[in-house]
Amino acid sequence: MLAAVSGCGLLGGSSEDGSASDGGTSTAPGQVEKSKIKLGLLNILDVASVHIAIKKGYFKEEGLEIEPVIIQGGAAAIPGLISGSIDITFGNWVSYFAAESQGAAKDKGGLKLISDGYQAKSDMFVIVAAPDSGIKSPKDLDGKTIAINTYKNIAELTAKATLEANDVDPSKVKFKELGFPDMEAAVKNKSVDAAFMVEPFIARSHRGSGFTTVLDAASGPTNDIPIGGYATTGDFASKNPNSVAAFQRAMAKGQKEAQDRSVVEPVLQDYAKIDKDTATLVHFGEYPTSLEASRLQRVADLMLTYQLLKEKFDVTPMIVSGSAG
């Protein structure tokens, strides 16, 4: 049975005889309850580990077939989890915590976090502007319109926190929802003043349109902030414990390999459709191999500060551990 943990739940590994070393159950390929997993993904650097795991056959070794379903953001994927059109999805922690606090998936056993995905480092989570925009510093964003991929997500949270840290009142900035692939054109045609981008869109806009970084949204109060990971519903996790455990083991391998840039760049060129030269310019974050409640709690606490949560929220009950290695 999958157990919630409050500390560090490793996302992979089992004993040589196939039994989980934490006393839970494990599975060999072929024993999964559901072999074809519809997985919500964005075409961004954050999910490179999934594509590595697919390419190297790690999911197949676990008896799983991954069917990618392209989403605009974590918030947009949650209705898909609830309806069952998506089994598991990548998303940002802010969207998950906000939805869970509102009971969005209450009838489906709530949202359960099953694998970490991505953590911020400098220069890979930024607000950019066109060279002719007159926006050269965070102060210049005062009163401006900034594109974000979905409202009330990790982008909005980190933007507000870092704007305030740079003496800009976040309430005077307007956010406009746009998909990442549409942001570069929107900045160029001035339908927005700036855009909150992730990789590979940052590198592409810098190289192709001469955009400049105005604000690093993973700095100061948001330095090294956890960004997102993989979730499902409580119902899916309870009905398909072997499938979830198999997914976790495959992801643990993908996450570990994604720490090697030379492995990620070719895969990024394939699924994100960027050229080799742009891939070499991409700024990387980190791919954690464990889910730690203490790290994710930092996100929830920051959400409370910026009114994205109405009351203090404990992330621990959402976390589902894998078999410890």
Side-chain angles (χ1 to χ4, degrees):
M1 183 174 178
L2 297 168
V5 295
S6 58
C8 170
L10 294 180
L11 301 181
S14 58
S15 61
E16 290 183 1
D17 65 3
S19 63
S21 55
D22 65 352
T25 58
S26 184
T27 178
Q31 293 181 318
V32 295
E33 300 87 0
K34 183 170 185 177
S35 60
K36 189 169 186 177
I37 302 295
K38 292 182 178 180
L39 178 62
L41 296 173
L42 297 88
N43 284 331
I44 58 178
L45 179 59
D46 310 34
V47 300
S49 55
V50 168
H51 295 279
I52 291 170
I54 292 173
K55 184 177 180 181
K56 297 210 169 187
Y58 298 146
F59 289 111
K60 187 176 181 180
E61 288 172 3
E62 295 289 347
L64 297 178
E65 177 188 350
I66 298 298
E67 179 184 337
V69 179
I70 301 304
I71 59 174
Q72 182 165 317
I78 291 170
L81 285 179
I82 295 169
S83 70
S85 63
I86 298 173
D87 300 314
I88 298 171
T89 189
F90 177 82
N92 69 90
W93 303 126
V94 171
S95 295
Y96 292 147
F97 299 157
E100 185 68 6
S101 71
Q102 295 162 8
K106 186 177 180 180
D107 293 342
K108 298 295 181 179
L111 295 176
K112 297 299 178 183
L113 312 177
I114 61 174
S115 175
D116 207 331
Y118 207 49
Q119 181 169 317
K121 288 175 68 175
S122 61
D123 298 322
M124 45 66 62
F125 215 49
V126 303
I127 296 175
V128 300
D132 62 351
S133 66
I135 301 173
K136 306 298 181 184
S137 71
K139 281 281 192 181
D140 297 326
L141 292 168
D142 188 25
K144 298 297 194 294
T145 298
I146 302 172
I148 56 173
N149 66 315
T150 56
Y151 295 126
K152 298 186 182 300
N153 70 349
I154 189 74
E156 183 175 337
L157 175 65
T158 55
K160 286 181 174 179
T162 49
L163 283 167
E164 187 168 76
N166 284 274
D167 300 319
V168 178
D169 184 350
S171 68
K172 294 183 179 179
V173 172
K174 180 181 179 182
F175 294 105
K176 182 175 181 179
E177 193 173 69
L178 283 174
F180 286 123
D182 303 319
M183 289 183 182
E184 186 173 353
V187 172
K188 290 174 75 172
N189 67 30
K190 303 191 186 307
S191 60
V192 295
D193 301 301
F196 191 117
M197 288 188 178
V198 299
E199 295 289 14
F201 300 99
I202 299 167
R204 181 182 286 161
S205 70
H206 280 190
R207 187 165 181 258
S209 300
F211 286 8
T212 56
T213 294
V214 180
L215 176 63
D216 187 340
S219 61
T222 58
N223 185 52
D224 294 331
I225 194 165
I227 295 174
Y230 300 83
T232 188
T233 63
D235 282 0
F236 185 88
S238 63
K239 292 174 183 176
N240 303 278
N242 291 346
S243 296
V244 171
F247 179 86
Q248 291 174 314
R249 289 193 296 272
M251 280 301 302
K253 294 177 183 177
Q255 290 284 106
K256 185 176 181 180
E257 294 219 20
Q259 296 171 30
D260 183 346
R261 183 178 186 120
S262 67
V263 174
V264 176
E265 282 188 18
V267 177
L268 186 63
Q269 293 170 53
D270 183 36
Y271 77 85
K273 310 302 180 187
I274 62 172
D275 60 85
K276 183 177 180 180
D277 290 340
T278 301
T280 64
L281 300 174
V282 167
H283 294 91
F284 276 56
E286 295 181 1
Y287 297 89
T289 55
S290 64
L291 269 174
E292 297 177 12
S294 59
R295 285 192 300 106
L296 302 193
Q297 190 63 48
R298 179 185 168 201
V299 178
D301 292 346
L302 199 61
M303 289 173 68
L304 184 62
T305 299
Y306 288 93
Q307 292 82 52
L308 293 183
L309 285 172
K310 294 181 179 180
E311 56 187 14
K312 188 170 177 62
F313 180 81
D314 182 9
V315 307
T316 301
M318 295 181 69
I319 297 176
V320 174
S321 72
S323 52

